[in-house]
Amino acid sequence: MAESLTIQTDDGSFQALVFRPDTPGPAPIVVVVQEIFGVNAGIRLIAAEYAVQGFIAVCPDLFWRVEPGLSMSENLEENWKKAIDIYSAYDFDQGATDVLKTVEAARGIEGGNGKVGLTGYCLGGLMTFLGAARGAPDAAVAYYGGGTERYVGEADGVKAPLLMHLAGEDEFIGPEARAAIVEALAGRPNVEVHVYPGRNHAFARPGGNHYDKTDAETANGRTLAFFKEKLR
């Protein structure tokens, strides 16, 4: 059963779901940032798996200003329209601030070891990159963050270890955008980028239309090893 954590901001408050491991003792924390469909079943499944692996997982509700508690399936056409409408009007800078407020609040969670990782998918991948560039998570893992190429000028701000997964045939991150991301991050000792040839957007999310079991397991294995090393 997930708990609820209240995050305070300058213009109100929002909720984050908290999933805890069964194992006792101080646990590292991972903030898991949603896609455009809200904190839905797929994101909750990912968070629950982090808890199985011994992490405290925290899922902030990024769309709280529009519709608190939004949770949609990507399998329904009407949900795509609603999600894209919300995404098109979304304030990314405000969202990055919400994510960093979540990281700050997560550091004080009872049972945590004080170290906080940040990860996210699609919209959450961009928020992960911005969070790493503008704040101080202890480690960050971004999965195919749409629009990241528009913010690569902030790469110098990334001080924490950053792992990035990109799809080689991403329909939302084209070849030029992907090349811009890879070029901006190349040669940085704290950054590791993996491109998965032939994969489409959302290849690593359970239940996604383009889910690929082999490359998802590879990417997620890299992520788990990365967080275990950086957060313990």
Side-chain angles (χ1 to χ4, degrees):
M1 177 69 73
E3 304 169 10
S4 185
L5 175 68
T6 301
I7 315 294
Q8 294 293 148
T9 74
D10 292 340
D11 61 330
S13 64
F14 63 95
Q15 301 300 306
L17 294 180
V18 179
F19 296 78
R20 292 184 177 273
D22 292 331
T23 52
I29 302 152
V30 176
V31 173
V32 181
V33 190
Q34 67 181 64
E35 299 173 304
I36 63 174
F37 301 101
V39 183
N40 65 359
I43 293 299
R44 295 195 300 271
L45 179 62
I46 291 167
E49 180 58 29
Y50 273 112
V52 169
Q53 296 295 334
F55 298 86
I56 297 172
V58 181
C59 302
D61 178 8
L62 293 194
F63 289 163
W64 64 278
R65 293 179 181 85
V66 178
E67 186 174 331
L70 183 65
S71 172
M72 297 187 292
S73 167
E74 72 277 9
N75 295 321
L76 298 177
E77 185 176 347
E78 59 266 30
N79 287 350
W80 273 92
K81 182 182 186 307
K82 180 175 181 176
I84 290 172
D85 285 346
I86 295 173
Y87 175 79
S88 297
Y90 190 65
D91 186 324
F92 299 111
D93 294 321
Q94 196 173 52
T97 298
D98 286 347
V99 167
L100 290 174
K101 288 284 189 182
T102 305
V103 170
E104 180 183 342
R107 288 199 188 278
I109 285 181
E110 183 180 354
N113 70 354
K115 289 191 175 183
V116 180
L118 178 59
T119 190
Y121 301 76
C122 186
L123 168 63
L126 172 58
M127 293 297 102
T128 294
F129 175 78
L130 290 179
R134 299 178 183 183
D138 293 291
V141 180
Y143 285 79
Y144 36 79
T148 301
E149 71 279 1
R150 300 196 301 269
Y151 296 91
V152 293
E154 298 188 37
D156 286 346
V158 178
K159 305 303 182 186
L162 170 65
L163 175 61
M164 185 172 287
H165 304 293
L166 297 172
E169 299 297 328
D170 197 313
E171 59 272 38
F172 298 109
I173 306 174
E176 291 184 4
R178 184 171 61 255
I181 295 168
V182 172
E183 181 180 354
L185 297 176
R188 297 177 183 271
N190 61 317
V191 179
E192 183 179 343
V193 180
H194 294 278
V195 178
Y196 299 81
R199 299 284 74 84
N200 295 98
H201 196 76
F203 76 90
R205 178 176 43 74
N209 292 335
H210 298 298
Y211 178 74
D212 183 88
K213 184 175 186 293
T214 298
D215 279 346
E217 288 180 352
T218 298
N220 293 336
R222 287 167 171 162
T223 296
L224 184 61
F226 180 82
F227 277 147
K228 284 184 175 180
E229 176 189 353
K230 307 299 182 184
L231 301 180
R232 293 193 185 277

